[in-house]
Each structure stands twice: as structure tokens, then as C-alpha cells.
Amino acid sequence: MTVYFETLAHMTETDSQAAPAARRERPGWLAIAFIGLCVLTAVGLYLGGVRMVHRPSLRPAIAVLAFNAANADADVERVGAGLAAQLTGALRTANELRVVDHTPDVVVQVSVERAGGYLLVTARLVRTANRYQLWSHVYQIDPRVDTAALAQTISTAVRAELHIRPGK
């Protein structure tokens, strides 16, 4: 009987020591198998013709929408047309921004309307993908002033909203 108990005691000690060693080895094999599966999948996709999609330029494309008003007087038309041209020029000076005519990421919409002796210029920055308005501001200006300073102010605000550094 003593031999039986000694053998049983010896078996329990051996089994308890072997079990943790087996548990330690299993995660290593699982990790190696997982990495191998990932590598084989990547090689299979590459050989099968699936390629990475070319990442578009990180420089956002912007367009200034042309000003048009149905019943605008001469001051409103002059300010609107001049402001659109000057704003396009001011935005072109930003190195991290592409001014385009077609398929922009964002657009600047400028509207001008008369309010008494002044003109109200509303500038909006809109994301084209979902038409979400990122920024908007209304400026009250005298119709006789040059719009270059206003174009620069709007350009600075647009660049700030898009986190674009000042230009050249």
C-alpha cells in the first residue's frame, strides 16, 4: 500500500509541474500561427491582384463659388465679382491648399446683399462630401471700399478653420 501511495503522490507532483509548462507553450504557438496566417493572407491578396488604394493628396482642394445675384445693383455685383477673384488669389498663396475649379473637398460661398447704405457679405466654408457648414461669418462693409482687405480676412479665417499655415 505504501508503494501505491508513493506512486500516486509522485504522479500528482509530475502532472502539476507538466501542466503549467504546456500552458506556457500554447500561446507562443498560437501567436506564431496567427502571424503566419496574416502573412499568407497578405501574400495571397497581393498575388491575387488586390492593391492598396492610392491615398489622395493631403492638401485639401478648395473652390470659390462664383458670385451671382438675381436682382443685384451695380455695387453688389462689383463687390461680389471682385471679392470672388481676390479671395481665389488669396487662397492660392497657401502652400498646403489646392485651389481648383472641379471636384473640391470644400467650397467657399460668398453672398453679397444691400442693407441700407452698407453691404452685407456672408462667407461660408462648406464641406462638399456632406454639405456640412464648417464656418460662416457676416461682414458689414461700405460699398466704396476696396475688397482686397476683406478677401485677405476671409482667406485667413478659412485657412485657420482648415488648420492651414499662412502662405508663401
Side-chain angles (χ1 to χ4, degrees):
M1 253 295 182
T2 55
V3 174
Y4 176 71
F5 286 122
E6 287 176 14
T7 307
L8 185 60
H10 177 65
M11 287 176 62
T12 350
E13 289 176 10
T14 308
D15 290 342
S16 66
Q17 292 172 355
R23 286 187 204 128
R24 277 186 238 127
E25 292 176 19
R26 186 174 298 145
W29 285 105
L30 286 175
I32 291 171
F34 178 75
I35 291 170
L37 181 64
C38 290
V39 169
L40 287 175
T41 302
V43 168
L45 289 172
Y46 180 77
L47 294 177
V50 176
R51 304 282 190 258
M52 293 293 291
V53 176
H54 176 67
R55 189 173 185 182
S57 173
L58 296 177
R59 296 181 342 163
I62 191 168
V64 178
L65 295 184
F67 171 79
N68 38 349
N71 297 322
D73 61 22
D75 285 339
V76 170
E77 286 182 11
R78 180 188 55 79
V79 169
L83 188 58
Q86 290 170 343
L87 183 56
T88 300
L91 290 171
R92 285 189 196 279
T93 64
N95 295 331
E96 298 176 8
L97 198 58
R98 294 179 298 135
V99 179
V100 297
D101 293 331
H102 301 290
T103 64
D105 300 315
V106 290
V107 295
V108 178
Q109 300 172 338
V110 178
S111 63
V112 182
E113 61 184 86
R114 181 165 295 284
Y118 294 95
L119 296 179
L120 295 179
V121 176
T122 304
R124 292 178 194 85
L125 180 65
V126 179
R127 186 178 297 134
T128 57
N130 57 5
R131 296 183 181 163
Y132 179 76
Q133 183 172 303
L134 299 169
W135 170 84
S136 177
H137 194 79
V138 178
Y139 302 91
Q140 181 178 347
I141 64 167
D142 187 323
R144 297 175 301 251
V145 276
D146 185 24
T147 55
L150 180 58
Q152 192 60 44
T153 301
I154 294 171
S155 173
T156 301
V158 165
R159 286 193 310 252
E161 185 64 35
L162 295 175
H163 306 288
I164 303 291
R165 291 179 289 169
K168 303 170 186 172

